[in-house]
Structure formats: structure tokens, C-alpha cells
């Protein structure tokens, strides 16, 4: 770790150190690597413990670093950026060179909630596929997907490799590729169960996205997902309507 010179001047020392550590995370360390200890940073850059802690705290707040009690401070996983185009979690991860994987929390055929039946246009007695998955990027938790899949169009979905992209299975095996979706985005607080799965504290703000997906005019998927806000963000482009 080659030392940079931190000087007195218009830019506060903690801000200078924050930029140095940010560059270190970007160019030298990789997600999951541990940051040098506070004492080493003090000695290397000639700053106080308060300066070190404030610089690290800023990067933790930005999602660049994460603290693990009793272990140290680590480089956080790269955030997944969704540009609001229609793509699977696996595809979005692949674009950003992050290895996607899943842990199956629930996979069954059962009767669905009323809002799902209404979207699928089926009676409450019809069984559909219920699939709940913890989605991981490079082995780190990013989100939980709680999805329902219309048994009219994908009756044997669970007999396929659902650890991978369900969208790919829907298209290749059942000929119902997802072509359009309506999404509603809100904020929720993590309850105890979700907090444990996503490795956050209870009450942590999460991004909640409900998706109603179709293949042409066929309703195929209803999915409620929660995302860690330090590992997932939405980006969109808007334009003013012509008068």
C-alpha cells in the first residue's frame, strides 16, 4: 500500500483519506478483501484515529465498505445497477461480470393469494408454482424473490433447474418468454427473517419491487422482491413530453 501525502488545506483530511481508500478499493482490493486496520492507516497516512474512522464511516454509508463485528472492515460487493429494462437477475449480474447464484427457500405447487389469481385470471382453487429464492452475487446476498408462476403456461416449472434463470426456462422449455412487465417500486423495512437472510440489521430500509410479467398477452409471473439498497440501485432516463 503506497502512501499518499495528506496535507493541511481546503480539503479536510478525512475527505482526502476517503478518496485514497476509495481508489484502493477500486484498483487494488476486490470485493470481500479486508481493509487494513485503523492503526495501520493512521501510521501510513499520518492522520488521527478520528480521521480514519470518519473516512471509513463515509465509505460504509456509501456502500463501498462493510463492517463485520469482531472481524474488521471489508470491501463491499459491487452494486447491481438495473436500468429498468426487462432482464432477469442472472442476465443483469452477467452484464456486470458478477457470478449469480440462488438458494431455494421454497418451491411448491399451491393455491395462490387473491391478487395473484386475479392477475393470472384463474380461480382461487387452481394451484400455481410458488418459488422463493435468495439471490446471490459472488456468494453475497443481494435480494429475495418471492415469485408465483402460472401453471397454465408452465405446469412443470419445478422439474427444471430453477437454481439458474427462470426466465430462460420459461422461454426455452415452455415457449412463454417474458416480453413485458409492469413494476411497482416502494420502500420497506427488513423484518427479522428477511434481515437474517440478507445479512442486515432488522429495520434496515430495503427496496421492494412488485412485478407483473407477461408473455405477449399471457400473464406468466407475479413476483415480489426485496433488495439490499447498498447492493442494488435503479437507474432510469426520463424525457419531457412534447407539448
Amino acid at each position: 500500500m503506497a502512501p499518499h501525502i495528506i496535507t493541511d488545506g481546503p480539503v479536510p483530511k478525512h475527505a482526502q483519506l476517503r478518496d485514497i481508500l476509495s481508489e484502493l478499493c477500486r484498483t487494488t482490493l476486490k470485493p470481500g478483501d479486508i481493509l487494513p486496520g485503523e492503526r495501520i492507516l493512521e501510521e501510513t497516512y499520518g492522520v488521527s484515529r478520528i480521521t480514519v474512522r470518519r473516512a471509513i464511516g463515509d465509505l460504509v454509508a456509501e456502500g463501498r465498505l462493510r463492517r463485520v463485528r469482531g472481524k474488521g472492515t471489508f470491501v463491499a460487493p459491487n452494486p447491481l445497477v438495473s436500468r429498468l429494462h426487462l432482464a432477469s437477475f442472472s442476465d443483469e449480474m452477467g452484464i456486470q461480470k458478477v457470478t449469480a447464484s440462488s438458494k431455494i427457500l421454497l418451491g411448491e405447487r399451491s393455491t395462490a393469494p387473491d391478487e395473484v389469481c386475479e392477475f393470472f385470471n384463474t380461480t382461487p382453487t387452481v394451484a400455481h408454482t410458488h418459488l422463493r429464492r435468495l439471490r446471490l452475487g459472488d456468494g453475497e446476498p443481494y435480494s429475495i424473490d418471492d415469485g408465483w408462476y402460472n401453471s397454465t403456461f408452465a405446469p412443470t416449472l419445478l422439474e427444471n433447474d430453477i437454481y439458474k434463470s427462470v426466465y430462460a426456462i420459461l422461454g426455452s422449455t415452455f415457449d412463454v418468454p417474458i416480453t413485458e412487465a409492469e413494476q411497482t417500486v416502494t420502500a420497506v423495512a427488513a423484518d427479522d427473517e428477511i434481515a437474517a437472510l440478507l445479512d442486515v440489521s432488522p429495520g434496515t430500509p430495503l427496496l421492494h419491487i412488485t412485478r407483473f410479467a407477461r408473455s405477449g398477452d399471457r400473464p406468466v409471473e407475479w413476483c415480489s422482491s426485496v433488495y439490499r439498497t447498498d447492493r442494488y440501485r435503479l437507474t432510469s432516463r426520463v424525457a419531457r413530453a412534447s407539448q
Side-chain angles (χ1 to χ4, degrees), residues 79-88 91-93 95-96 183 185 207 209 211 227 232-238:
L80 176 63
V81 180
S82 174
R83 303 192 182 279
L84 289 179
H85 61 289
L86 190 55
S88 70
D91 288 341
E92 288 184 327
M93 284 290 194
I95 291 171
Q96 298 179 58
Q183 294 188 150
V185 183
L207 193 66
I209 300 178
R211 173 180 286 191
Y227 294 84
Y232 188 89
R233 61 177 181 261
L234 292 170
T235 299
S236 63
R237 176 177 294 179
V238 296

Side-chain angles (χ1 to χ4, degrees), residues 77-78 89 93 98-101 135-143 231:
N78 295 321
F89 179 87
M93 284 290 194
V98 177
T99 301
S101 60
R135 311 307 302 273
L136 308 167
D138 288 341
E140 297 284 349
Y142 273 66
S143 68
R231 296 181 183 170

Side-chain angles (χ1 to χ4, degrees), residues 185-199:
V185 183
T186 56
V188 296
D191 60 23
D192 290 345
E193 179 191 5
I194 289 176
L197 289 170
L198 292 180
D199 193 22

Side-chain angles (χ1 to χ4, degrees), residues 108-110 112 116-123 126-131 147-158 166 170 174 176 178 213-215 217-223:
E108 64 179 7
R109 284 283 297 272
S110 64
V116 176
C117 294
E118 181 178 357
F119 175 60
F120 287 168
N121 195 27
T122 59
T123 64
V126 175
H128 296 288
T129 298
H130 188 193
L131 181 59
W148 288 88
Y149 299 89
N150 196 330
S151 61
T152 303
F153 307 114
T156 58
L157 178 62
L158 293 178
V166 169
L170 291 172
F174 300 103
V176 283
I178 300 299
R214 295 178 172 83
S215 179
D217 61 355
R218 295 167 292 185
V220 175
E221 177 199 46
W222 183 100
C223 189

